[in-house]
Every structure is written in structure tokens, then in C-alpha cells.
């Protein structure tokens, strides 16, 4: 697990440019300086305007060599804890099998459920920490991780416990989401209502009691659960004080987003088949749209999410990896930025806002994360790029020079 490279918390960045991500734009400040005091950003502006007391000797000064500082990426939708591998299914899909066919034959999510049930807590923790460290080195500083590969009491709690341990031991803020209604487990085959009752009466109270998950998610789809079934889960989740979010309209239009909006969900995610009326409901309830181009790409989908409608209705668009072993084994936010532009026609500015401030909105963390503003957490990445759009354009490169989380440096390639 990463440990800070420097114990000194007061840092001054000079010779840098900033994309602060405020006011729904990149909000660029060229020839800038940025000061960090303790865990927070304490000054942001043009270097020539930097007050004298910010250059005092005790402060560690970092020369960014004209690099760009952006807020650390907020990856608001992942399934990072999993056992086993689905590379065999990847090869099956290359030969023409579809995600739904594999799922209907007991593969897909079910094969990961089997492997995750069989994995020890320790093994899951070690494997997932490596994934977290890899993401940190690529500029992700806040992460959401879902359960949902257990689908029984023991393994759902085990997954959430691993997420809780990661949040304690890794520098990233990691929010845990309970995704019990992800797929129908074999114990309840042909009895979806029975499983929904089990989620409501057994899993949800136990997850609340465990105290790690802050949100409840579900998969609303013909291969998973109906809006009526999920509504019952959300009613209980809401009464227990959880935030709500939903995998909605990924493979067909089930009207899930409209239902989740009635619970004032933080976000609805995927949304390729979202209808105009569903989008209007999301707008009316301030629900963020989380776009997941990695799953669209890996499943060779053709129906794109209604980006023009999101723009017209001013629905914040977040962009996330959806990192999981089946539909989106993509371990790179910059690659996802490229896909968001190339596959969903986002502008570079929209994609970058999606991976920062709108990702924070999708987690309800916009007060502390996702933009460069005084008082916010000093979660910052220095990039060796000529312009912010390089992060969308230079596909496959990882031009990270430095990663700071809450004022501590965890990765540093700058010769300071
Ligand atoms: O976000 N849509 C459902 N859940 C995941 C896929 C999980 C899996 O295939 O293992 C998703 O794409
Ligand atoms: Fe997902």
C-alpha cells in the first residue's frame, strides 16, 4: 500500500498551469501557482500575484516545469473487488457470443460471484489493493467501489469489509456501495421476488449494521431486476438512510431512471437506452448521468447515451471506468476520456469535467472533491502535457508527474 513520499504538508506549486474545473468549464489559469496548507488548497491564482508569505522558507516548493495541474480524477462507478478472471469470456465474445448469452448460461456476473465467494478476505484485499495502487498512479484520487459479486450475506459483507479496509489503508477516499440486487443468485433461481425479499429483510439491515456502505445500487434490466422489484429495495434503503443510485437503461429501456429519480438518486449510470421522459425526470430531481464508455466499447454496443439531451437539460455528465472483470476491464481513466470523446461525442472539456467535478457530484462529494478551489481537499495531479485536451487525445499515454492526496505526495516523477 502506498505511503506518503513526503511528511511535509505545506506545499507550493509554481511554474504550472491550472484547469480548476469550476463553473462548468475547464477554468484555465496559465502561469499559475497553487498553495496547499495541511490537507487543503489554500491559495490559487497567477504566480505573479502570489503573496510573499506563501514563499517562506519552511514551505516545500515544487517546480512543475510548465506542467498542468488538474484535480485528481474521481472514479464514481467501479466493481473493483472481484475474484477470478473472465478472460475466457472475453475470448468467447470475440468469437461472437454476447454478454447476455453468456449471462443466461450461468457465466458473466455469475462466474465472478462463484470466484468471489471462494476467495478469502485477505486474497481479495491483496488483489484489490494492487488495482487501487495502479489507479492512483494514473491520477485517480477518489473512488467508488460496489459489492454485488457475493449475492449472499457472507460474501456481500466480505466484499464491503474489503472496501472498508482499503478506505482505511489507502490514501484515496473510497466510498462503498451495496449492490445486492445485481443478479439473481443460483440459490434463488426462478424466484426473483424471493431474492428481493432476502435483500430487503436480511442483507440491507446487515449492511446497515456493518456501517461501511453509504449507498445502495441495483441493476435494472431484463437480465436482472424490474423497476418494481428495485423500488422495494430502494424504499427500504431510503428508510435506512442510504444514498441511492442505479444501473439503468444499459441494454434496453426499462424505465429504471425515472423510478430512481423519484428517490432523488445521486446518479443513474450507463443510460444508453434512456428515453426523453426518463431524462426529464432525472433533470427534475437533479440526478447525475454517469457515462460508462468502457462497457459500451467492450460489449460492442451500438446504441449511444442521449448526450445531446443531457446537454439540453443541463444534466451533469460524469464519466467513469466501470472497472469490472466482465463488461469493462479498463484500468485507465485517460483511456476512458478518449472513449467518451470518440464513442459518445463528448468534447474534451465535457470528458474532463466528467472525470472530476461531475464524478464528485455523482458521489455527493462536490463540496470537497473534483475541482481546484481554496478550502477543498488538496487532491491534485501534475501532468506533463501541453494542454488539458492531451489527456483525451494522447490515448494510452500516462503522463502523470505527481499525485497528491489531501496534501501528501504519493507519486512523484518531478525532479524537485
Ligand atoms: O456495470 N451492468 C451490470 N454490472 C456491471 C457488469 C458487471 C460484470 O459483468 O461483472 C456493469 O457493466
Ligand atoms: Fe457497473
Amino acid at each position: 500500500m502506498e505511503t506518503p513520499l513526503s511528511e511535509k504538508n505545506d506545499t507550493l506549486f509554481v511554474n504550472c498551469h491550472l484547469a480548476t474545473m469550476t463553473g462548468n468549464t475547464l477554468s484555465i489559469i496559465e502561469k499559475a501557482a497553487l498553495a496547499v496548507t495541511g490537507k487543503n488548497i489554500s491559495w490559487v491564482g497567477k504566480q505573479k500575484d502570489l503573496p510573499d508569505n506563501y514563499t517562506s522558507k519552511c514551505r516545500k516548493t515544487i517546480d512543475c516545469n510548465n506542467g498542468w495541474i488538474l484535480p485528481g480524477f474521481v472514479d464514481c462507478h467501479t466493481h473493483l473487488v472481484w475474484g477470478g478472471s473472465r478472460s475466457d469470456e472475453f475470448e468467447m465474445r470475440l468469437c461472437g457470443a454476447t454478454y447476455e448469452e453468456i449471462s443466461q448460461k450461468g457465466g458473466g456476473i455469475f462466474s465472478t460471484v462463484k470466484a468471489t465467494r471462494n476467495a478469502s478476505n485477505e486474497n481479495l484485499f491483496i488483489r484489490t489493493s494492487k488495482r487501487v495502487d495502479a489507479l492512483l498512479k494514473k491520477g485517480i484520487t477518489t473512488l467508488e467501489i460496489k459489492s454485488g459479486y457475493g449475492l449472499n450475506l457472507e460474501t456481500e459483507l466480505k466484499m464491503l469489509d474489503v472496501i472498508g479496509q482499503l478506505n482505511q489503508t489507502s490514501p484515496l477516499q473510497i466510498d462503498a456501495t451495496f449492490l445486492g440486487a445485481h443478479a439473481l443468485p443460483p440459490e434463488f433461481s426462478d424466484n426473483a421476488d424471493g431474492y428481493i425479499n432476502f435483500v430487503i429483510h436480511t442483507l440491507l439491515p446487515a449492511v446497515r449494521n456493518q456501517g461501511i456502505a453509504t449507498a445502495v445500487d441495483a441493476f435494472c434490466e431484463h437480465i436482472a431486476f424490474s423497476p418494481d422489484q428495485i423500488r422495494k429495495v430502494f424504499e427500504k434503503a431510503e428508510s435506512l438512510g442510504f444514498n441511492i443510485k442505479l444501473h439503468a437503461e444499459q441494454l434496453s429501456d426499462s424505465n429504471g431512471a425515472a423510478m430512481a429519480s423519484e428517490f432523488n438518486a445521486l446518479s443513474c449510470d450507463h443510460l444508453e437506452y434512456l428515453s426523453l421522459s426518463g431524462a426529464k425526470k432525472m433533470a427534475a430531481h437533479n440526478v447525475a448521468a454517469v457515462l460508462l464508455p468502457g462497457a459500451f466499447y467492450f460489449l460492442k454496443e451500438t446504441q449511444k447515451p442521449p448526450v445531446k439531451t443531457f446537454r439540453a437539460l443541463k444534466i451533469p455528465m460524469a464519466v467513469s471506468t466501470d472497472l469490472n472483470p466482465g463488461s469493462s476491464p479498463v484500468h485507465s481513466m485517460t483511456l476512458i476520456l478518449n472513449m467518451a470523446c470518440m464513442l459518445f461525442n463528448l468534447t474534451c472539456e465535457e470528458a474532463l469535467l466528467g472525470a472530476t467535478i461531475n464524478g464528485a457530484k455523482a458521489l455527493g462529494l462536490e463540496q470537497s472533491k473534483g475541482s481546484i478551489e481554496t478550502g477543498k481537499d488538496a487532491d491534485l495531479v501534475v501532468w506533463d502535457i501541453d494542454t488539458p485536451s492531451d489527456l483525451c487525445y494522447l490515448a494510452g499515454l500516462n503522463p502523470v508527474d505527481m499525485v497528491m492526496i489531501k496534501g501528501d505526495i504519493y507519486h512523484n516523477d518531478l525532479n524537485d
Side-chain angles (χ1 to χ4, degrees):
M1 195 50 70
E2 297 283 324
T3 46
L5 298 180
S6 154
E7 293 301 324
K8 198 173 264 182
N9 270 334
D10 288 0
T11 308
L12 177 65
F13 295 91
V14 293
N15 296 330
C16 56
H17 310 295
L18 310 177
T20 64
M21 304 292 168
T22 49
N24 283 324
T25 69
L26 294 175
S27 286
I28 285 171
I29 306 175
E30 287 186 282
K31 296 186 180 162
L34 187 161
V36 172
T37 304
K39 296 177 187 310
N40 301 103
I41 298 167
S42 53
W43 193 89
V44 180
K46 288 271 190 196
Q47 189 167 331
K48 66 178 175 49
D49 298 330
L50 187 69
D52 286 346
N53 55 343
Y54 277 93
T55 41
S56 67
K57 279 193 198 119
C58 62
R59 199 177 274 275
K60 177 180 167 69
T61 300
I62 296 184
D63 183 336
C64 298
N65 299 326
N66 284 318
W68 282 79
I69 306 181
L70 270 73
F73 290 140
V74 178
D75 196 355
C76 64
H77 178 141
T78 82
H79 308 251
L80 209 69
V81 179
W82 75 80
S85 161
R86 305 246 289 276
S87 62
D88 53 339
E89 293 179 9
F90 174 64
E91 298 205 47
M92 282 159 72
R93 285 197 284 109
L94 292 179
C95 294
T98 67
Y99 186 68
E100 280 134 308
E101 280 162 9
I102 292 171
S103 159
Q104 275 150 6
K105 285 184 188 148
I109 292 172
F110 303 105
S111 88
T112 301
V113 167
K114 201 169 166 198
T116 307
R117 286 180 177 183
N118 287 333
S120 67
N121 183 307
E122 194 187 14
N123 178 276
L124 286 176
F125 175 77
I126 291 169
R127 291 188 62 187
T128 314
S129 334
K130 288 184 182 167
R131 295 176 193 135
V132 172
D133 287 349
L135 296 180
L136 184 153
K137 292 189 176 95
K138 294 176 185 173
I140 291 175
T141 55
T142 305
L143 198 54
E144 183 254 22
I145 307 179
K146 302 170 196 298
S147 68
Y149 290 133
L151 312 181
N152 62 19
L153 181 61
E154 184 195 338
T155 316
E156 285 297 310
L157 293 182
K158 179 173 72 180
M159 290 185 75
L160 291 168
D161 183 63
V162 168
I163 301 169
Q165 287 177 59
L166 289 163
N167 187 40
Q168 295 296 320
T169 54
S170 111
L172 287 84
Q173 175 162 335
I174 303 179
D175 282 11
T177 297
F178 170 61
L179 177 57
H182 192 197
L184 191 58
E187 299 78 19
F188 286 87
S189 58
D190 297 325
N191 184 12
D193 288 335
Y195 181 63
I196 290 293
N197 278 333
F198 175 67
V199 171
I200 292 169
H201 298 296
T202 304
L203 295 186
L204 270 172
V207 168
R208 175 80 289 172
N209 198 33
Q210 186 189 31
I212 295 170
T214 52
V216 168
D217 194 349
F219 187 18
C220 189
E221 194 57 64
H222 59 90
I223 57 167
F225 300 99
S226 70
D228 284 346
Q229 288 167 331
I230 294 170
R231 181 190 296 279
K232 292 182 188 144
V233 173
F234 284 175
E235 278 165 359
K236 177 75 173 196
E238 191 178 49
S239 77
L240 292 172
F242 287 104
N243 291 320
I244 301 291
K245 53 180 77 173
L246 185 66
H247 286 69
E249 281 56 285
Q250 179 186 8
L251 308 169
S252 60
D253 182 11
S254 312
N255 247 330
M259 180 275 294
S261 298
E262 285 167 22
F263 290 89
N264 297 311
L266 283 174
S267 70
C268 289
D269 305 34
H270 289 286
L271 300 172
E272 279 82 347
Y273 287 82
L274 182 70
S275 64
L276 180 59
S277 64
K280 283 184 177 164
K281 277 265 190 177
M282 285 177 63
H285 291 264
N286 290 319
V287 182
V290 177
L291 306 184
L292 304 169
F296 175 92
Y297 167 77
F298 259 90
L299 300 183
K300 296 187 178 179
E301 295 290 336
T302 51
Q303 171 95 13
K304 301 184 188 220
V307 165
K308 285 183 184 158
T309 305
F310 295 141
R311 285 184 190 127
L313 296 176
K314 299 201 182 335
I315 294 174
M317 287 185 281
V319 170
S320 166
T321 62
D322 191 12
L323 180 44
N324 74 69
S327 66
S328 187
V330 183
H331 295 64
S332 162
M333 184 63 96
T334 49
L335 191 51
I336 288 291
L337 291 174
N338 178 264
M339 289 183 190
C341 297
M342 295 298 297
L343 303 175
F344 291 170
N345 303 103
L346 263 60
T347 64
C348 292
E349 180 173 64
E350 285 172 331
L352 288 164
L353 289 166
T356 54
I357 188 65
N358 288 344
K361 281 184 191 161
L363 293 178
L365 295 177
E366 68 272 28
Q367 299 306 323
S368 55
K369 306 286 185 189
S371 63
I372 297 178
E373 293 176 77
T374 55
K376 276 201 163 182
D377 290 352
D379 291 2
L380 304 164
V381 181
V382 183
W383 298 95
D384 179 14
I385 49 176
D386 295 326
T387 169
S389 58
D390 280 353
L391 294 175
C392 305
Y393 157 65
L394 299 170
L397 189 68
N398 181 37
V400 167
D401 263 346
M402 199 216 73
V403 179
M404 170 178 275
I405 302 180
K406 287 196 172 174
D408 285 323
I409 296 170
Y410 290 92
H411 175 86
N412 194 359
D413 284 342
L414 284 166
N415 299 317
D416 60 311

